[in-house]
Amino acid sequence: MTFPWPVAWALRAFAGLVLVILYGPLAVAVVLSFFDQTGTSVDWSSFGLQWYAKLFANRGIGEALVNTFIVGAGTVVTSVVLGTVFALYFQYGGSPWRGLHRAIIVTPFLLPPIVTGLSLLIFFREVGVPRSLLTVVIGHTLLVLALVYRTILQRLQSLSPQLIEASYDLGATRAYTFRRVLLPHLASAAVAAGVLAFALSFDETLITLLVTGSDNTLPLRLWAMVRTGFTPDMNALITLILAATAALSVAVISLVRPQP
Amino acid sequence: MGAIDITAPAAANQRQAPLSMSRPLLVLEGIEKGFGGAQVLHGIDLTINDGEFLTVLGASGSGKTTVLRLIGGFTEPSAGRILFEGADIVSVPAYRRPVNTVFQDYALFPHLTVAGNVAYGLEARGTARDVLRPKVAEALERVALKGFDARYPSQLSGGQRQRVALARALVLEPRLILLDEPLGALDAALRRQMQVFLKQLQREIRTTFLLVTHDQEEAIVMSDRICVLDAGRIAQIGTPHELYYRPASEYIARFFGDNNLIEGRLGPSAAAVRFVETAAGRLMVSTKDQSDVAEAPTGTPVKIALRPEAIQVAPGSEFENHLSGTIRDVTFAGAISQIVIQPSGETARPLTIKLASRAAGLGLSRGQPISAGWRSADCRILLR
Amino acid sequence: MQTVKHRWKDRLQRVLITTLVWTPPIGLIVLPLAGFLAYSFFALDNGEIVHRFTFGNYIRFFSDAVFVPQFLRTCLLAAGVGVITLLAAYPVALLLWSLEGRAKHLMLVLFVIPLLMSYILKIFSIRAILGGRGYLNTLLMAAGVITEPTPFLLFNLTAVFLTLSIILFPFTLLPLFVTLERIPKALIQASSDLGGAGWLTFRRVVLPLSWPGGVIGASFTFVLALGDFVTPQMVGGPTGLTFGRIVYSQFGLAYNWPFGSALAVILMAAVLAVLALAARIGRSQGGPP
């Protein structure tokens, strides 16, 4: 749809304003990450990477980052495997209960994270599971599973049933058909879902706060740092994470968007 | 591209072994099939002989695709048996049946190349690479797609995809190939080329073909025998010749050859003929090999099937049936012209005549009086 | 004989698959939620959780002078965040929708980055701007708008509102954008074809077809705003208390899990009500009339 030019320009101006509001605080942090400051006065002569150097000396962050990657990898693997199995069950299981099954899977995504987190916290306590990175992986998996499942199910439903029949017709067993026809068809959707799962897991804070043990993930480490007060190396961290997020966003969008 | 001549399939040897048409390969016995309350097939009995080209012809919803799916193993009959060389295969899964299908929209694997698609079935059977390669190459050559190995289905035209689907089935050397409206998506010219190609291919490899289509012309051109399905029941089975010249029912007569249908009542019979009283007068119809018609009581309402090309304008005395009327319409359609005449009887329905345009060019025009006639042997009495 | 054996194997396989497929959702979603619901009916005795059924927690919630107004205020706050993000998201979504090719791709990336950007760091950078000695105050003072730092901007509910609106904006925007993208181009053309002027096309075709997406996006934002406890804690200060913070504190300092569960159940009830409403709107508008 094309808008008349005054409308188009008004929309652009407004979107620009929104971008300024969204990015302004981050941009300030990015600029300041290269300078020394006392209070709000900036020493513009101090341009350099000193805060980045300081950041890398901060061991807590490195450890937290490693934990975050462990959790992210665990979440991606479990959510993609479970998402695929559940999507197959929905599509080909022929169960009259499949709608209920789907509704249950989607629930944690619809509830506020605090509810999902609390219910897991209580559950782990009652069952006697010690809180650890494993419980974090479970929490993250439940959260992202709905998205992963949906993505894979949609792709599965786009597969012509004739292709599966053709495979059987040509003498392929179920297992062979799964490997040679279904998996290749699902692969790119699974990759996209996996990247999305990783992105969400990487930043998940609320559920993590509730179900983690003594291990910190990056958001929790940041949360602790922020609460203890401001240190200028936070700006350096914001800059780095923003850059990483931008790269990830490009990846997510080009994977999730249907190719024309 | 242009160099590929699909009308001559790798036909190095034209020697044709006599077809063993008599040996049954696949037998459908009392097949019933219902989908959620709706009965799709009613007691289908059909024998497919080894080496023949059999077509199941029917309108959409006649159950023809269901017949194919039953044989392919994609659905199970509610009742009845499917015998392959005498053994019931109803409980044999699709992937273990010695039958391969060319699907309606080809169902090529989009993520595999042409060679990958053709090799798929062999790979599924665990065929060794060095055996597989030449087989794939040979199959592609057979369908005139040599050199297309590395292309993906999305890079092919409709006709080429169709041939890949064919090669994919052929390479497995099945005893029976099922073709589900294989030419439906092609344009008219290409369709005619492919009809000839498929027929020649079938003769050459001497494999049994079972084709499903709604196109009667296609069925006539390609088949050794045709089985016409009407609303889940077999209306008639026979050679194209039989269906064309000896339709068993009004349904068949309408399906084949644009027959004129003249309503009337049975009159007296004579040697191998029977008279029918119609609005256009008393007509004489041969009852050769129609004992039921010869014995039916006088006065029974019937229809006469009369093919448009059997009617002669200004007929001589060798034609037993004559009528006069006026020309209502003349349509030129290339080699053939179609003439609609209104017989002079009060309530007689118009008749359609097809004439070679050269003959029709003799100044026939609308409103002109005309006489027409046909032989008693060129029309047929239909009791149903 | 072989088919009998086959059937038996089939059945075993079916049982295995069913078990495999139902264990995770029941074990990790249904059971925890049920346990959590059960907890809301338990009591605390000398710091120990007593597994005995009681309505005490709910009675406490409804009879206390603090909790109900606090709950309603937080609902109002979250609803406000939903509405303001929806109002801001519409023009942006329309712009995104009208763009083509690279420009669209770039703009989409620009609006997805804030969605995936670290949540804590986003709040942190906003707090740095809003603070009493933050850049917004400095800027306003330099511009002569104010003479001394206004405390209006940080450690109160306004700050929570502003921060949540900025952070959750993409959650409202994206479902709206996706819904707009799903409107068949032919429909727009048909409307223009029938002589519908731009405004008419927008009002009669685009708006009715897209606003369910906006409602769904805004209700997502509402849900997230309502349950958030980190943002209020970081920018809210002592006056920026929200219901989410109260719930969280029951599992931390206050250590009253049963009461915290009851509060969270009430929160969940509000969320489900809003989601059901949004789904209803989405269905009634999405399908044929």
Side-chain angles (χ1 to χ4, degrees):
Chain A
M1 173 156 191
T2 48
F3 296 106
W5 69 266
V7 178
W9 280 106
L11 289 180
R12 273 173 219 190
F14 185 80
L17 181 69
V18 170
L19 281 176
V20 167
I21 293 172
L22 289 180
Y23 281 94
L26 296 170
V28 169
V30 169
V31 170
L32 291 178
S33 73
F34 297 102
F35 299 98
D36 293 342
Q37 58 185 125
T38 41
T40 50
S41 61
V42 181
D43 176 7
W44 295 108
S45 65
S46 62
F47 179 82
L49 297 175
Q50 57 271 33
W51 296 118
Y52 291 85
K54 186 147 183 273
L55 182 67
F56 285 111
N58 189 336
R59 283 217 30 190
I61 287 190
E63 224 171 84
L65 201 58
V66 170
N67 284 341
T68 308
F69 273 103
I70 294 174
V71 169
T75 303
V76 168
V77 172
T78 33
S79 65
V80 170
V81 169
L82 287 180
T84 307
V85 171
F86 293 169
L88 287 169
Y89 176 73
F90 186 87
Q91 188 68 3
Y92 301 118
S95 164
W97 299 98
R98 61 183 202 161
L100 178 68
H101 190 254
R102 183 172 62 176
I104 295 173
I105 292 167
V106 175
T107 306
F109 184 73
L110 295 177
L111 293 176
I114 190 172
V115 170
T116 308
L118 287 180
S119 66
L120 282 177
L121 174 65
I122 292 169
F123 180 70
F124 291 142
R125 181 197 150 110
E126 285 294 314
V127 178
V129 177
R131 287 186 272 160
S132 65
L133 288 185
L134 178 71
T135 54
V136 176
V137 169
I138 292 175
H140 286 193
T141 301
L142 293 187
L143 180 74
V144 302
L145 187 59
L147 282 176
V148 174
Y149 172 76
R150 244 182 80 99
T151 310
I152 292 178
L153 184 59
Q154 266 173 3
R155 178 64 63 88
L156 204 55
Q157 286 172 337
S158 75
L159 179 72
S160 155
Q162 273 211 342
L163 285 185
I164 293 173
E165 288 187 353
S167 176
Y168 291 157
D169 184 76
L170 294 167
T173 58
R174 272 205 214 191
Y176 193 84
T177 303
F178 178 72
R179 195 159 61 77
R180 290 289 310 271
V181 180
L182 273 169
L183 273 193
H185 183 76
L186 293 181
S188 66
V191 168
V195 171
L196 194 63
F198 186 82
L200 292 178
S201 162
F202 195 85
D203 191 38
E204 211 299 316
T205 312
L206 300 179
I207 293 179
T208 317
L209 262 174
L210 292 166
V211 298
T212 189
S214 54
D215 300 298
N216 269 341
T217 62
L218 190 61
L220 297 200
R221 177 77 199 125
L222 297 177
W223 170 233
M225 284 168 71
V226 167
R227 279 202 301 186
T228 51
F230 174 81
T231 52
D233 59 348
M234 290 293 289
N235 286 332
L237 189 63
I238 289 176
T239 308
L240 292 179
I241 301 247
L242 184 62
T245 307
L248 196 64
S249 302
V250 172
V252 167
I253 287 187
S254 42
L255 281 171
V256 170
R257 244 160 59 109
Q259 300 305 317
Chain B
M1 239 331 287
I4 293 163
D5 176 13
I6 63 164
T7 57
N13 76 57
Q14 291 290 340
R15 169 177 59 92
Q16 276 177 19
L19 299 174
S20 52
M21 298 278 274
S22 50
R23 206 165 61 86
L25 180 71
L26 188 109
V27 179
L28 300 183
E29 234 179 55
I31 295 290
E32 304 275 340
K33 177 68 185 174
F35 288 110
Q39 191 75 4
V40 179
L41 295 177
H42 307 264
I44 299 291
D45 292 304
L46 176 64
T47 300
I48 303 166
N49 293 317
D50 199 7
E52 80 172 327
F53 196 129
L54 181 85
T55 296
V56 175
L57 178 67
S60 67
S62 61
K64 59 185 190 300
T65 299
T66 307
V67 169
L68 201 94
R69 292 177 58 81
L70 285 166
I71 298 172
F74 307 121
T75 183
E76 280 184 27
S78 319
R81 299 199 299 166
I82 303 174
L83 304 171
F84 188 89
E85 295 192 317
D88 193 342
I89 57 166
V90 164
S91 56
V92 174
Y95 57 86
R96 280 205 241 120
R97 296 194 184 189
V99 166
N100 290 113
T101 308
V102 175
F103 288 86
Q104 184 168 10
D105 50 13
Y106 319 136
L108 298 180
F109 302 118
H111 58 289
L112 298 179
T113 59
V114 166
N117 267 284
V118 177
Y120 187 92
L122 292 172
E123 284 168 2
R125 286 164 169 72
T127 309
R129 268 205 171 288
D130 50 331
V131 182
L132 180 145
R133 284 248 177 82
K135 279 195 174 194
V136 170
E138 190 199 287
L140 283 175
E141 203 175 334
R142 222 181 241 300
V143 297
L145 280 177
K146 200 179 175 183
F148 282 69
D149 311 47
R151 300 248 197 131
Y152 282 90
S154 59
Q155 299 168 308
L156 302 179
S157 71
Q160 289 166 342
R161 282 181 209 178
Q162 213 268 313
R163 281 179 280 145
V164 176
L166 194 59
R168 190 171 69 171
L170 287 178
V171 77
L172 300 172
E173 295 163 21
R175 301 292 305 281
L176 172 61
I177 293 186
L178 309 174
L179 302 114
D180 187 5
E181 302 256 8
L183 311 178
L186 306 179
D187 65 57
L190 192 52
R191 195 153 56 213
R192 269 191 291 280
Q193 267 188 324
M194 284 305 296
Q195 287 169 4
V196 177
F197 172 77
L198 276 175
K199 183 69 194 158
Q200 288 189 5
L201 179 73
Q202 190 264 339
R203 286 216 184 100
E204 195 181 308
I205 62 177
R206 279 176 273 143
T207 299
T208 314
F209 275 40
L210 178 66
L211 178 95
V212 158
T213 185
H214 66 274
D215 182 339
Q216 47 100 358
E217 186 204 315
E218 189 170 299
I220 288 176
V221 171
M222 299 170 78
S223 322
D224 295 321
R225 286 196 306 149
I226 299 173
C227 163
V228 183
L229 276 188
D230 176 23
R233 290 194 168 81
I234 293 179
Q236 192 172 358
I237 306 178
T239 63
H241 197 273
E242 281 168 349
L243 292 177
Y244 193 80
Y245 289 107
R246 298 208 293 276
S249 65
E250 184 185 339
Y251 183 79
I252 304 289
R254 282 185 193 280
F255 223 135
F256 290 92
D258 301 328
N259 279 283
N260 289 295
L261 293 164
I262 306 166
E263 285 177 38
R265 283 177 187 281
L266 286 182
S269 49
V273 292
R274 185 122 195 200
F275 293 97
V276 181
E277 310 293 347
T278 74
R282 172 180 279 200
L283 301 175
M284 186 165 104
V285 185
S286 155
T287 55
K288 196 166 154 270
D289 57 54
Q290 269 187 300
S291 54
D292 53 342
V293 171
E295 287 155 15
T298 303
T300 309
V302 293
K303 286 194 173 109
I304 300 173
L306 173 60
R307 280 172 291 104
E309 75 275 13
I311 305 173
Q312 191 68 44
V313 172
S317 58
E318 74 272 26
F319 293 85
E320 297 94 336
N321 297 301
H322 288 262
L323 61 77
S324 56
T326 49
I327 298 183
R328 258 175 59 160
D329 205 5
V330 180
T331 314
F332 172 72
I336 299 282
S337 283
Q338 185 172 297
I339 299 157
V340 180
I341 67 171
Q342 177 62 54
S344 24
E346 287 281 298
T347 54
R349 298 263 180 85
L351 284 184
T352 302
I353 306 178
K354 279 182 182 165
L355 286 180
S357 292
R358 269 175 53 193
L362 308 168
L364 293 176
S365 60
R366 253 212 272 186
Q368 200 180 317
I370 188 171
S371 69
W374 62 92
R375 289 190 176 87
S376 64
D378 284 337
C379 55
R380 193 168 168 82
I381 293 171
L382 305 173
L383 290 173
R384 28 182 192 114
Chain C
M1 272 319 285
Q2 209 194 336
T3 53
V4 172
K5 202 173 161 190
H6 212 72
R7 292 249 165 84
W8 187 82
K9 219 175 124 189
D10 265 10
R11 192 165 300 167
L12 183 72
Q13 201 180 4
R14 187 155 273 275
V15 168
L16 271 176
I17 289 172
T18 306
T19 314
L20 184 80
V21 160
W22 282 91
T23 304
I26 289 182
L28 295 172
I29 299 173
V30 176
L31 280 184
L33 282 175
F36 154 76
L37 204 63
Y39 252 63
S40 74
F41 292 102
F42 293 159
L44 203 67
D45 187 24
N46 281 332
E48 286 293 314
I49 293 158
V50 189
H51 295 70
R52 201 181 53 238
F53 187 87
T54 165
F55 279 110
N57 298 315
Y58 291 98
I59 294 170
R60 182 176 163 201
F61 171 80
F62 285 107
S63 57
D64 195 293
V66 177
F67 295 117
V68 174
Q70 188 59 56
F71 174 67
L72 294 178
R73 204 178 308 139
T74 308
C75 283
L76 207 62
L77 175 92
V81 172
V83 169
I84 196 122
T85 54
L86 181 58
L87 289 179
Y90 237 111
V92 175
L94 285 174
L95 176 72
L96 268 176
W97 182 50
S98 70
L99 292 174
E100 303 275 346
R102 290 183 68 86
K104 181 178 227 157
H105 195 255
L106 179 75
M107 285 296 273
L108 204 55
V109 169
L110 279 180
F111 283 101
V112 167
I113 290 173
L115 182 75
L116 296 180
M117 176 66 194
S118 164
Y119 173 71
I120 298 283
L121 292 181
K122 266 185 298 190
I123 307 172
F124 175 76
S125 65
I126 294 168
R127 188 173 74 169
I129 299 279
L130 293 178
R133 287 187 308 175
Y135 294 96
L136 200 56
N137 263 321
T138 315
L139 197 72
L140 291 175
M141 272 159 69
V145 180
I146 50 175
T147 49
E148 51 186 84
T150 164
F152 174 70
L153 291 171
L154 191 62
F155 299 134
N156 54 31
L157 273 183
T158 315
V160 177
F161 178 77
L162 285 175
T163 311
L164 283 175
S165 299
I166 295 174
I167 289 176
L168 299 178
F169 173 77
F171 285 96
T172 307
L173 174 70
L174 287 179
L176 180 59
F177 167 69
V178 169
T179 314
L180 278 170
E181 285 285 289
R182 285 210 196 111
I183 299 178
K185 295 267 187 261
L187 229 53
I188 309 294
Q189 278 158 9
S191 172
S192 323
D193 222 45
L194 295 170
W199 171 241
L200 189 72
T201 302
F202 177 75
R203 201 163 51 89
R204 300 296 296 275
V205 179
V206 177
L207 206 58
L209 286 177
S210 65
W211 84 274
V215 167
I216 286 167
S219 58
F220 268 144
T221 292
F222 170 84
V223 168
L224 292 172
L226 192 63
D228 199 346
F229 54 91
V230 165
T231 307
Q233 200 157 329
M234 274 180 75
V235 300
T239 61
L241 201 63
T242 64
F243 198 65
R245 264 176 93 174
I246 297 176
V247 174
Y248 182 62
S249 71
Q250 299 303 318
F251 289 82
L253 286 178
Y255 193 73
N256 190 343
W257 286 25
F259 186 56
S261 300
L263 295 182
V265 167
I266 288 161
L267 187 91
M268 189 166 78
V271 162
L272 291 179
V274 168
L275 286 180
L277 197 70
R280 214 186 150 113
I281 290 170
R283 252 202 307 279
S284 69
Q285 294 296 315

